[in-house]
Amino acid sequence: MRIASVETILVSIPYETGPTRGWPDWTHLNTVLVRIETDDGLVGWGDAFGYHAARATKAAVDHIIAPLLIGRDATDIARLSYELQQKTHLLGRYGITTFAISGVDIALWDLAGKAAGQPLARLLGGSTDRTFASYASFARYDEPEVVAERVSAAVNAGYRYVKLHEVTYETAKAAREAGGDDMALMVDTNCPWTEREALAMARRFKPLNLYWLEEPVFPPEDFAALARVQAAGGVPLAAGENACTSFEFAAMFRSGAVTYAQPSVTKVGGVSEFRKIIALAEHGPSTIVPHAPYFGPGFLATLHLMASLPHGSLVERLYVEPEAQYFGDAVNPVAGSFTVPDGPGLGIDPDPNVIKDYRVADA
């Protein structure tokens, strides 16, 4: 089963998220779909991290990664994963290059499942007969009243876990009051503070009984600082969406930086590298809770990876309303929970009509 073609497709889908202030220019879901076809006509789909970097990621797949794959054995995933990282290391081990490798790797695992006639979860030693609780991952609103309104709506929709993207005590307090003490509350701050500032804010948040405080320190790879904040702040920390490859997670785990580790399958190096991170975490104090505010193949890959975890995890659901979805209602939460698609590979292929209608023509 040889790789005959590697195609990237940039898709941009408008979404509605309410009256945001902190994310005023985030109005579209930009996804870099990776389509790999073999010489026998089998097609696998991947998802390379995009957002505002989508065009750069697409270019990396097209001009750096794809030429290294044509004619190669699509089933030799472990070797391809290693070689892609090794042959591109001069371009940087993290960021865009690794995002590109991630999309390709996901597509190769989708092909592997389809070739075997099995869901990816089963290839990874898991089962599709599992349900995972989800948490609603909000945009940033800055206004306590808006936060309270959005949290109440999510709780009424069946969510028992919610995550804010806020940086003030007042907005977090509004969420706690709106959701009640039984709701698990997380606060993702997206790396705004020095170590000293982060420690002060962790102590301020402590009375709100946070499930976790996410990425309070800049730069995000300062694991020693994160460890000190967690030890002295009294609040569990989460981080990992900005980390690439298992080597960076190994350093994170050694430092004792986080209680919850958040690898993103579309950023760390794909399914292959994510599996290594799972293995590393099994021998340490950190719990894997994937970063996955996606709607494409990367989201499905995350569900299958979670099904391979012995104790499961929480599913991140970006709490927005897209104008269209690649997989329709098949992967929408039911009462705040998700099940794993049980078709071969990732389980479902993206809707070709959605791709056609929302494809970026000049990309």
Side-chain angles (χ1 to χ4, degrees):
M1 193 167 74
R2 299 283 169 178
I3 297 173
S5 66
V6 180
E7 178 188 9
T8 55
I9 305 168
L10 177 55
V11 182
S12 185
I13 300 176
Y15 68 82
E16 173 59 43
T17 187
T20 62
R21 289 195 176 187
W23 292 354
D25 56 344
W26 284 31
T27 58
H28 289 67
L29 299 167
N30 296 323
T31 305
V32 182
L33 297 176
V34 179
R35 182 184 185 275
I36 297 182
E37 186 168 355
T38 65
D39 55 3
D40 55 2
L42 204 60
V43 174
W45 289 93
D47 186 349
F49 184 76
Y51 287 18
H52 291 332
R55 289 178 182 269
T57 301
K58 182 181 187 303
V61 178
D62 290 343
H63 302 294
I64 300 170
I65 305 302
L68 300 174
L69 293 172
I70 304 302
R72 299 297 299 273
D73 180 358
T75 67
D76 199 5
I77 301 175
R79 179 180 296 182
L80 289 175
S81 175
Y82 181 86
E83 288 188 6
L84 289 176
Q85 291 192 38
Q86 185 185 48
K87 291 182 177 180
T88 61
H89 77 276
L90 290 177
L91 306 177
R93 288 274 292 146
Y94 307 118
I96 299 297
T97 306
T98 307
F99 301 168
I101 293 172
S102 300
V104 164
D105 187 85
I106 293 168
L108 291 174
W109 278 99
D110 186 31
L111 282 170
K114 288 173 176 173
Q118 295 289 333
L120 174 57
R122 290 190 187 144
L123 298 188
L124 302 175
S127 170
T128 58
D129 189 24
R130 297 177 68 178
T131 300
F132 302 102
S134 175
Y135 67 86
S137 186
F138 294 111
R140 183 169 162 185
Y141 298 105
D142 286 339
E143 295 290 340
E145 296 81 6
V146 177
V147 169
E149 179 183 338
R150 299 292 286 181
V151 167
S152 295
V155 170
N156 290 336
Y159 287 96
R160 293 297 175 262
Y161 301 81
V162 303
K163 184 171 83 173
L164 310 180
H165 285 82
E166 305 289 337
V167 293
T168 68
Y169 172 80
E170 289 74 21
T171 48
K173 182 173 181 288
R176 170 57 72 206
E177 291 175 347
D181 292 336
D182 292 334
M183 177 193 73
L185 176 64
M186 300 86 106
V187 177
D188 183 354
T189 59
N190 293 120
C191 311
W193 299 314
T194 65
E195 178 183 340
R196 180 177 295 180
E197 291 168 336
L199 178 56
M201 288 303 299
R203 289 169 172 165
R204 183 89 194 276
F205 284 132
K206 187 175 181 180
L208 299 179
N209 190 29
L210 297 188
Y211 197 81
W212 73 58
L213 175 62
E214 186 171 336
E215 290 198 322
V217 173
F218 182 83
E221 66 270 25
D222 190 347
F223 303 135
L226 284 172
R228 289 189 292 268
V229 171
Q230 177 161 253
V235 176
L237 296 192
E241 70 173 90
N242 287 301
C244 292
T245 79
S246 58
F247 290 92
E248 213 168 6
F249 278 89
M252 180 190 298
F253 296 152
R254 284 195 301 270
S255 69
V258 298
T259 299
Y260 300 100
Q262 301 171 299
S264 169
V265 72
T266 70
K267 300 175 80 173
V268 298
V271 173
S272 298
E273 203 70 14
F274 201 114
R275 294 176 71 201
K276 299 175 186 177
I277 297 166
I278 290 174
L280 289 170
E282 287 179 354
H283 302 289
S286 298
T287 299
I288 297 290
V289 183
H291 174 261
Y294 312 125
F295 289 84
F299 182 76
L300 297 184
T302 301
L303 292 178
H304 285 276
L305 283 159
M306 288 176 58
S308 73
L309 293 168
H311 304 295
S313 189
L314 291 172
V315 184
E316 181 173 15
R317 181 59 163 189
L318 191 60
Y319 198 69
V320 301
E321 296 180 15
E323 193 171 281
Q325 293 204 52
Y326 298 103
F327 310 113
D329 291 331
V331 292
N332 282 336
V334 176
S337 296
F338 284 96
T339 55
V340 185
D342 60 3
L346 295 178
I348 314 170
D349 283 350
D351 186 335
N353 292 319
V354 172
I355 295 174
K356 177 183 176 182
D357 291 343
Y358 293 95
R359 183 170 186 164
V360 178
D362 63 345

